[in-house]
Each structure stands twice: as C-alpha cells, then as structure tokens.
Amino acid sequence: MFDHRHLLGIEHLSPMDIAAVLDRADTFATTPDSRAVRRDSLSGLTQINMFFENSTRTQASFEIAGKRLGADVMNMAMQASSIKKGETLIDTALTLNAMHPDLLVVRHPNSGAVALLAQKVNCAVINAGDGRHEHPTQALLDALTIRRRKGRLQRLTVAICGDIAHSRVARSNIMLLGKMENRVRLVGPKTLMPPGIEKFGVEVTDDMAAGLKDADVVMMLRLQRERMDGGFIPSEREYYHRFGLDAAKLAHAKPDAIVMHPGPMNRGVEIDGEIADDINRSVIQEQVEMGVAVRMAVLELLGEGRG
Ligand code: NCD
C-alpha cells in the first residue's frame, strides 16, 4: 500500500511506505538477462519534468523511468523559460496545470517551493530536490542500493560525510535511515554541520577516524559551493587532507563497508579517484542504476490511481 498523492519528502513516509517503494523498485532492478524492464503501466499518462536548476543525472533518470513505463514525457528547460521573463512560480504551475499533466517532477533551488507548487495543481507532484530541504528519490535509491548490498536496511552504521549543512541528500537520508532504525553518524567540519542536527537522533563528529569506525556504509557528499555564501573551508587541499575519503581513512570502516556518493563527485576534493573507481568498495554506478528503478516505482505508485 502506498497511499499518497505526492512525494514531497521522506518526512511524510512511514517505514511501510518506504518498504513498498523499495519492493516495487526491486521488480524493476533485475531481469534474468540483465536487460531493462519495460511496462506500459503509465501509457496514456503525461509526465512533465520541470527543472529550475541544472541537473544531468536526476533529470535523465526521471525521463528514462517515465519512458520505460510508457508515459508521454516532456522536459521543460525552466532556466530558459518564462521564469526568466518574470513569471511567478505559481503562474507557471497554473499554466502547466491547464495542460492536464498526470505527473509533475520538479526541482527548484528554494526549499519548500515544490510543496507550494503541489498545492496549486491537480496532478501528482514528485520533489526532485528543493533547495537544501529534501531529495526523497535520492534517499530511496540509496536505501535500495544499501538493502541489496547488505541484505537489510536495519541496524547498520552509516557515516554521512562532508557538507551536511547544504545537502538535501543528507537531510532525506538522515530521515529515511532513522525511520528504518539505523545508526547514523554525521562527519564533517563544524562550519558545514547544521546547528541542532543532533535532535534528529544522529551522532556528530569532525573526526573521520571516529566517524568511520566500524561503519557498514560510508556516504560521501559533494561540497555544495553554489549554496555557500562565504568561507566555509580553508582550502580544497586542506579539506581533502582532513575529510577526503582515501584508503587510510576508509580502513577505519568495516572491511566490507560500501562507499556511496550521489554525484556529481569532485575527485581529489571529497573522494580519492581510486576509491571511487574501486569496484570492490564503491557502489556509485549501482546507485545510478537503482535511481531509474526507484523512480519507475515512485512514478508507477503515484500514477496507478490516475490511469
Ligand atoms: C545531488 C543534488 O542535486 O542534490 N545530486 C543529484 O541529485 N544527482 C547532490 C549534489 O548536487 O551534490
């Protein structure tokens, strides 16, 4: 059962909702002959992708997911659209609404903008990332990757490292992993740690050795320079020295710990290129693969009632 009209954040999901998405996504993730799964469950439905921020992988992933389910998918390049001519977000939403889409996938630089838009339209709305607030499909695809690799999504120690303060990926993951009863450690410089984050039930440290100790999962985050409005780190070299994931730091985690990164990654800033490419440790490409499966699951679950 997945009884929601929109997917605006992990905040609104129960552990059962999360399991329902992951179970559905699992059916899209594997075929005996490793070919992509196709269905026509969204045939006759219109999906519009509205990205008010640059995106490569997330937009492509939603587009492929919709097309594999038979939806009519349209991409609106919002950078170049009427927004530039001064139209408000709400007017854009109402204009699109008049075209009767069934599914609207929205990314926006402002936290809360996607939820606002959802109040104004009749279709299902999926948050593809809003400011530093939430990025629910990223947390779900991370969860699917972890569950498939570790065989479970409970009682794991997950270290989330780097620029926590500016990261919607971190926020959504903290909520999801917490709901599923995992131990979450946040590791990063104090300047990149949101104040009061401990109230989410996480442990906080600025020491990589302590943070990674016996971790099952090490999740690295990009330095979100576009969201920084000052000097949060002394220099990239210094940052890499203290917080960049290399073999020596990874040695503190469990021997079978997996390494994750939502992308796009900066090699030599938050992660060593060799670790990122190490097929025995890094699941970064698998995350991209699971991204399509999770987005197919979300689109299908929300589209089911609309056919
Ligand atoms: C993330 C995002 O946009 O929040 N990337 C993504 O969805 N592929 C993380 C990031 O930009 O660093």
Side-chain angles (χ1 to χ4, degrees):
M1 272 305 286
F2 187 83
D3 194 14
H4 295 272
R5 210 176 135 209
H6 308 297
L7 177 66
L8 300 177
I10 298 297
E11 192 183 350
H12 315 286
L13 302 184
S14 68
M16 272 175 53
D17 291 330
I18 293 165
V21 175
L22 301 188
D23 290 347
R24 180 71 64 98
D26 249 332
T27 69
F28 295 121
T30 28
T31 55
D33 56 1
S34 77
R35 279 175 46 191
V37 177
R38 283 167 208 286
R39 281 191 210 166
D40 58 4
S41 47
L42 296 185
S43 114
L45 300 192
T46 303
Q47 171 189 336
I48 300 183
N49 298 334
M50 281 171 91
F51 280 64
F52 295 91
E53 228 183 49
N54 285 327
S55 162
T56 320
R57 80 187 63 211
T58 305
Q59 185 169 338
S61 182
F62 271 110
E63 181 174 356
I64 290 172
K67 285 182 170 161
R68 286 196 181 149
L69 294 174
D72 295 321
V73 185
M74 202 192 109
N75 288 308
M76 306 248 329
M78 300 311 293
Q79 311 275 346
S81 83
S82 352
I83 295 287
K84 287 264 181 296
K85 300 180 189 159
E87 189 177 71
T88 66
L89 176 62
I90 302 303
D91 283 331
T92 308
L94 294 177
T95 305
L96 280 178
N97 196 46
M99 300 176 198
H100 301 290
D102 300 282
L103 296 146
L104 203 52
V105 179
V106 188
R107 169 170 287 195
H108 200 280
N110 298 344
S111 305
V114 182
L116 180 71
L117 202 139
Q119 292 170 13
K120 307 287 175 190
V121 296
N122 304 113
C123 57
V125 175
I126 299 169
N127 182 1
D130 63 326
R132 53 177 87 173
H133 177 228
E134 279 232 43
H135 191 353
T137 57
Q138 179 69 44
L140 288 161
L141 75 88
D142 290 339
L144 183 63
T145 309
I146 295 171
R147 196 175 81 166
R148 289 165 65 93
R149 278 290 177 136
K150 293 285 158 197
R152 65 178 199 274
L153 190 57
Q154 279 93 22
R155 303 180 316 280
L156 295 166
T157 300
V158 182
I160 306 179
C161 311
D163 183 359
I164 313 286
H166 300 99
S167 176
R168 53 196 176 208
V169 175
R171 277 182 61 91
S172 290
N173 264 302
I174 289 165
M175 280 188 268
L176 190 153
L177 293 165
K179 282 176 199 264
M180 304 313 268
E181 289 167 29
N182 297 284
R183 186 168 174 184
V184 177
R185 290 205 202 118
L186 305 182
V187 194
K190 292 193 175 77
T191 48
L192 294 175
M193 205 53 81
I197 191 76
E198 292 88 350
K199 68 171 186 283
F200 283 88
V202 294
E203 300 159 40
V204 176
T205 174
D206 62 356
D207 176 24
M208 284 288 275
L212 265 57
K213 190 169 173 4
D214 297 329
D216 298 286
V217 177
V218 179
M219 191 182 287
M220 302 309 297
L221 299 173
R222 183 175 65 86
L223 278 180
Q224 314 248 309
R225 291 214 170 270
E226 73 278 20
R227 302 192 198 290
M228 295 184 193
D229 48 13
F232 285 84
I233 57 159
S235 72
E236 284 186 353
R237 245 186 95 189
E238 169 89 13
Y239 182 83
Y240 180 68
H241 179 67
R242 281 199 61 200
F243 298 101
L245 186 67
D246 55 16
K249 295 193 191 84
L250 184 57
H252 296 283
K254 286 201 181 142
D256 63 349
I258 54 170
V259 174
M260 308 181 79
H261 194 303
M265 66 185 156
N266 293 310
R267 292 166 186 263
V269 181
E270 69 263 359
I271 189 165
D272 171 48
E274 274 182 38
I275 301 263
D277 298 332
D278 180 351
I279 52 165
N280 296 311
R281 309 305 295 271
S282 162
V283 296
I284 296 171
Q285 295 308 321
E286 203 170 314
Q287 286 173 271
V288 178
E289 200 183 328
M290 293 307 121
V292 177
V294 153
R295 286 165 183 133
M296 287 173 83
V298 169
L299 289 166
E300 193 174 77
L301 286 165
L302 293 177
E304 247 155 26
R306 310 188 62 86

